[in-house]
């Protein structure tokens, strides 16, 4: 392998065209420059420069080495600068969160991207288990979860709380256990979990989610309240998902006697450092939540 120190000396000499000035630029002695050239010629078994009294010219082999060598040295310099560069408002930031948090955050993150056009927001909605795995295998920069990760390699930091709310069709009155059973449950991917938390804390009759009569299911966070608005049943959702629903007049939102909150965890890979662009978005998320 070509010695990069010798190659840099050779290319600098070819650029400047003078041994003494090359030595000054590289903070070497003139004999040191000559030694690097001689060692490079010996390694390659090629004459690289043709000396003519106090002047020199590149041989054909020297011309070829200069063209390729200069390109390599420039690439290495660019690589060094790129690795050291860590802009706070430039580059892609990959985020995964449950749908309710996503509905709250995404418009604000788009506003942040509008403010800093070189910042790219890649935000995907996913369940907690998939987010945890994405953080573990480093396929996401920011993971937001509503349960604390059980994986040793994932660090979870509590940053906020989100209330769970009971939502019924508008005009259905204060919900009783009997009225909820008559309405039926609009299920969703976290429906059993959310219902167990909120209904279990507020209705003595509640045993488990399978007791509820199912009247529908949707896995699209923005559509779960549509059948509720049409009078088909009730559901339990986090507050941010409820706030984002456009037809507020068609649903009744109930905060029950025993409020229940989910903790929001900011998750990252243990001992991993965040680039400045990721810290920018993390700070925005923490401010919003």
């Amino acid at each position: 392998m070509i010695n990069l120190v010798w190659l840099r000396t050779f290319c600098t000499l070819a650029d400047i065209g003078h041994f003494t000035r090359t030595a000054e630029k590289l903070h070497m002695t003139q004999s040191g420059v000559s030694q690097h050239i001689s060692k490079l010629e010996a390694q390659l078994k090629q004459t690289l420069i043709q000396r003519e009294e106090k002047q020199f010219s590149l041989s054909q082999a020297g011309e070829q080495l200069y063209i390729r060598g200069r390109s390599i040295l420039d690439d290495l310099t660019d690589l060094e600068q790129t690795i050291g560069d860590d802009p706070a408002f430039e580059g892609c930031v990959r985020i995964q969160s449950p749908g309710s948090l996503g509905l709250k955050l995404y418009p604000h993150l788009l506003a942040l991207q509008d403010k800093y056009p070189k910042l790219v927001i890649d935000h995907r909605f996913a369940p907690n288990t998939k987010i945890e795995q994405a953080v573990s295998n480093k396929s996401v920069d920011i993971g937001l979860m509503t349960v604390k990760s059980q994986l040793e390699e994932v660090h979870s930091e509590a940053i906020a709380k989100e209330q769970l709310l009971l939502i019924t069709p508008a005009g259905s009155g204060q919900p009783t256990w009997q009225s909820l059973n008559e309405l039926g449950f609009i299920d969703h991917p976290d429906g059993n979990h959310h219902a167990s938390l909120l209904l279990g804390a507020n209705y003595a009759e509640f045993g488990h989610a399978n007791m509820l009569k199912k009247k529908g299911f949707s896995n699209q966070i923005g559509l779960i309240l549509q059948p509720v608005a049409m009078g088909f049943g009730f559901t339990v959702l986090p507050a941010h998902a409820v706030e984002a629903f456009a037809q507020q007049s068609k649903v009744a939102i109930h905060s029950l006697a025993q409020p229940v909150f989910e903790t929001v965890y900011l998750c990252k890979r243990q001992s991993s450092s965040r680039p400045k662009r990721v810290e920018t978005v993390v700070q925005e998320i923490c401010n919003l939540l």
Side-chain angles (χ1 to χ4, degrees), residues 33-217:
V33 173
S34 297
Q35 287 176 14
H36 282 189
I37 302 304
S38 297
K39 289 178 179 179
L40 192 56
E41 288 180 324
Q43 182 185 33
L44 297 175
K45 298 181 174 59
Q46 296 285 339
T47 298
L48 299 176
I49 64 172
Q50 297 169 334
R51 294 170 175 80
E52 303 163 2
E53 296 183 357
K54 292 185 178 182
Q55 297 182 333
F56 71 89
S57 61
L58 298 183
S59 66
Q60 183 175 353
E63 291 281 2
Q64 293 179 5
L65 180 63
Y66 173 74
I67 293 171
R68 297 288 298 277
R70 174 49 65 197
S71 176
I72 290 169
L73 292 172
D74 289 344
D75 285 345
L76 287 173
T77 299
D78 182 63
L79 176 61
E80 184 178 0
Q81 292 174 345
T82 301
I83 289 175
D85 192 20
D86 186 16
F89 307 106
E90 181 177 339
C92 182
V93 179
R94 302 163 301 169
I95 308 161
Q96 286 189 14
S97 74
S100 178
L101 291 172
L103 291 174
K104 170 71 174 179
L105 294 172
Y106 192 53
H108 297 278
L109 295 179
L110 290 181
L112 186 68
Q113 182 173 345
D114 186 51
K115 184 178 180 181
Y116 303 108
K118 291 186 177 181
L119 192 65
V120 178
I121 300 298
D122 180 340
H123 190 174
R124 307 185 185 206
F125 297 3
N128 287 311
T129 53
K130 289 190 176 181
I131 298 169
E132 182 180 49
Q133 192 59 45
V135 174
S136 175
N137 63 29
K138 299 182 182 180
S139 61
V140 67
D141 299 305
I142 300 171
L144 295 170
M145 296 170 57
T146 53
V147 295
K148 190 172 184 178
S149 174
Q150 298 302 306
L151 297 181
E152 184 178 348
E153 66 271 21
V154 176
H155 172 72
S156 303
E157 176 189 357
I159 61 168
K161 290 185 180 295
E162 183 177 16
Q163 188 173 5
L164 294 180
L165 298 172
L166 174 66
I167 307 97
T168 62
S172 56
Q174 188 63 26
T176 64
W177 180 247
Q178 181 180 350
S179 68
L180 292 179
N181 274 281
E182 290 173 356
L183 274 172
F185 186 59
I186 303 299
D187 201 3
H188 54 85
D190 289 321
N192 285 355
H193 175 60
H194 289 160
S196 297
L197 290 176
L198 186 61
L199 301 183
N202 285 276
Y203 294 94
E205 300 92 336
F206 181 84
H208 50 79
N210 291 334
M211 295 173 61
L212 301 171
K213 178 176 62 177
K214 299 296 193 300
K215 292 294 293 291
F217 180 95

